[in-house]
Amino acid sequence: MAGIILLAAGSGKRFSAAGGEGNKLNAVLSQTAENPVTVFETTLNHLTASGLPVHVVTRAENLQVQASCARKAVPFTLVSSAGTGESIAAGVRDTPEWNGWLIHLADMPFVPAEVFTAVATSLQQAQVVRPYWQNEPGHPVGFSRPMREGLLQLRGDHGARDLLRGREVLRLNFNNPAVTADIDLPEQLTESSLIQNGQMHAAS
């Protein structure tokens, strides 16, 4: 069984420096009839819709993310470091029963559920699977069970980049810019509908 590690422990410095208020994961991305939906909640909704198990890695001070996880009964790990490497290692450590891990970023709320299921299914054929859009690598990145020890050793803020060097990666090509689109700046919150409709790409 493969599952999704959702990384939600970043500090979002570029978002704050550009005038964004608070943690970007807690910023409102859309409005439903009942209540506003944050960036994190939008991402989490897509993940849970995939039917795959989900485990969130976040910071102790982000109580809003923890509350969102509790409402959906999604387990989470608290970390003190904002380094992506440490976050991945912590999530993998706390999901020893899985035989594959899809690493996804919580500020990428546009990736639909079917992308996650496609990556998870393809892990039966390869040790590393990654979605692409127009030759640009995206997320989630899938790692099979033999990659576990390498994931547990990750440190710093480079994520799993070092693990990918020189390793054969199964590419899944999607005609959807969502696999490369993130929320990095406050103005992207208002542009989100365009990204969801495939009309633009939000670069990191």
Side-chain angles (χ1 to χ4, degrees):
M1 172 186 64
I4 308 167
I5 300 292
L6 182 57
L7 305 181
S11 57
K13 292 179 181 176
R14 285 187 63 188
F15 183 84
S16 300
E21 294 184 11
N23 190 304
K24 66 179 177 179
L25 299 183
N26 302 328
V28 174
L29 184 63
S30 62
Q31 182 80 39
T32 68
E34 297 83 20
N35 58 295
V37 182
T38 67
V39 171
F40 177 79
E41 288 168 336
T42 305
T43 307
L44 188 62
N45 286 340
H46 287 308
L47 269 59
T48 55
S50 74
L52 296 167
V54 179
H55 192 100
V56 172
V57 180
T58 190
R59 301 177 71 83
E61 60 266 30
N62 199 332
L63 300 179
Q64 194 168 337
V65 161
Q66 295 170 47
S68 296
C69 290
R71 282 193 293 272
K72 283 189 168 288
V74 171
F76 56 86
T77 294
L78 300 180
V79 295
S80 57
S81 170
T84 307
E86 282 92 339
S87 293
I88 294 172
V92 172
R93 180 199 67 216
D94 287 353
T95 52
E97 72 280 10
W98 294 1
N99 59 22
W101 295 266
L102 278 62
I103 309 301
H104 194 58
L105 309 177
D107 65 353
M108 295 185 70
F110 312 113
V111 181
E114 54 266 28
V115 170
F116 296 97
T117 53
V119 172
T121 300
S122 297
L123 279 178
Q124 299 172 19
Q125 311 167 35
Q127 290 191 4
V128 182
V129 179
R130 188 162 203 180
Y132 275 73
W133 176 67
Q134 296 186 354
N135 289 318
E136 185 173 352
H139 282 80
V141 184
F143 297 91
S144 62
R145 184 75 187 190
M147 302 293 294
R148 183 174 186 269
E149 288 306 313
L151 293 169
L152 288 171
Q153 300 303 315
L154 291 176
R155 297 292 181 271
D157 203 27
H158 297 295
R161 211 170 301 160
D162 292 342
L163 282 181
L164 298 176
R165 280 200 193 97
R167 191 175 296 276
E168 187 174 347
V169 177
L170 176 59
R171 294 174 51 148
L172 299 183
N173 294 307
F174 291 93
N175 186 27
N176 189 341
V179 299
T180 60
D182 64 3
I183 296 291
D184 218 18
L185 300 169
E187 57 263 31
Q188 289 170 321
L189 295 170
T190 56
E191 294 168 348
S192 62
S193 62
L194 294 176
I195 300 171
Q196 289 172 304
N197 291 329
Q199 297 173 29
M200 65 172 293
H201 168 227
S204 296

